[in-house]
Amino acid sequence: MTRGLIVVDVQNDFCEGGSVPVAGGARIATAVAELVEQAANRDYRCVVATRDHHIDPGHHFSEHPDYKDSFPVHCVAGQEGGEFHPHFAPAVASGKIDAVFFKGAHSASKSGFEGADEHGTPLADWLRARGVEEVDVVGIATDHCVRATALDAVKAGFRARVLLDYSVGVAPDTTASTLEDFRQAGVAVSGGTPVPQ
């Protein structure tokens, strides 16, 4: 089956020093960049990246966030926090990413499948047009946007696998429950230490 790689939200605000930092984010940015370099050897038909791109996401931004549905201001369109992390950005600049899908301009939009490329093409349509049937999902964070993207991949009719060596979770409890969600939905999981310590 034809496989694609989806890199989820490897952005400054989700790494150390950002407004919603995930411990280990910078390390994962480096690991994902290395994975992208190896993409041809892993038989990926294409490699895409998603990016939070908030303009006015409403209640998703909050001064009193619950860190489930609402968060501090992050990944605002045109600001440094929304840019790809420096460890990953060269992979994008070098042309090794086939397309970038922007999500969340006016909503929370955790899933990459809610995003569209610069031409307005939704991720699922873009992948199908290239014959992709299976996707590997990596990035930040396992228990938030990676979770939503992988689950939506299955809903959209793709076979999905999350590569834990190239993903990082926020918290042990939510990551553990995410792995159970994956099991129930038929999302495969490969490698890594499943739950952050």
Side-chain angles (χ1 to χ4, degrees):
M1 298 183 83
T2 304
R3 185 181 297 275
L5 176 65
I6 303 174
V7 177
V8 177
D9 298 1
V10 181
Q11 294 168 266
N12 289 324
D13 271 345
F14 298 135
C15 296
E16 293 84 348
S19 64
V20 192
V22 179
R27 174 182 58 81
I28 287 301
T30 300
V32 169
E34 293 170 355
L35 176 63
V36 170
E37 289 290 334
Q38 304 163 7
N41 297 331
R42 290 175 176 256
D43 294 325
Y44 289 122
R45 169 69 59 86
C46 55
V47 181
V48 302
T50 72
R51 188 172 164 169
D52 257 13
H53 188 73
H54 296 310
I55 296 171
D56 180 12
H59 298 298
H60 185 55
F61 285 173
S62 174
E63 293 181 4
H64 305 285
D66 63 12
Y67 292 93
K68 180 181 178 184
D69 299 310
S70 61
F71 293 84
V73 174
H74 63 278
C75 297
V76 174
Q79 294 189 8
E80 185 65 25
E83 298 299 319
F84 288 120
H85 188 275
H87 295 177
F88 175 64
V92 181
S94 68
K96 292 185 169 63
I97 303 298
D98 297 299
V100 175
F101 291 82
F102 299 88
K103 59 190 178 70
H106 300 283
S107 65
S109 292
K110 287 188 175 184
S111 170
F113 284 87
E114 297 176 84
D117 69 6
E118 60 183 342
H119 306 294
T121 305
L123 176 55
D125 293 349
W126 192 96
L127 292 169
R128 288 191 192 103
R130 285 150 184 83
V132 173
E133 299 169 279
E134 299 184 6
V135 293
D136 284 349
V137 185
V138 301
I140 306 172
T142 309
D143 41 351
H144 289 276
C145 295
V146 169
R147 173 187 181 276
T149 300
L151 294 176
D152 276 0
V154 171
K155 290 176 186 174
F158 299 94
R159 293 182 63 181
R161 177 174 66 172
V162 172
L163 307 183
L164 295 176
D165 287 332
Y166 303 95
S167 307
V168 62
V170 173
D173 57 343
T174 51
T175 301
S177 64
T178 290
L179 296 177
E180 177 60 20
D181 292 340
F182 288 162
R183 187 188 69 77
Q184 292 186 12
V187 175
V189 174
S190 173
T193 302
V195 179
Q197 302 301 315

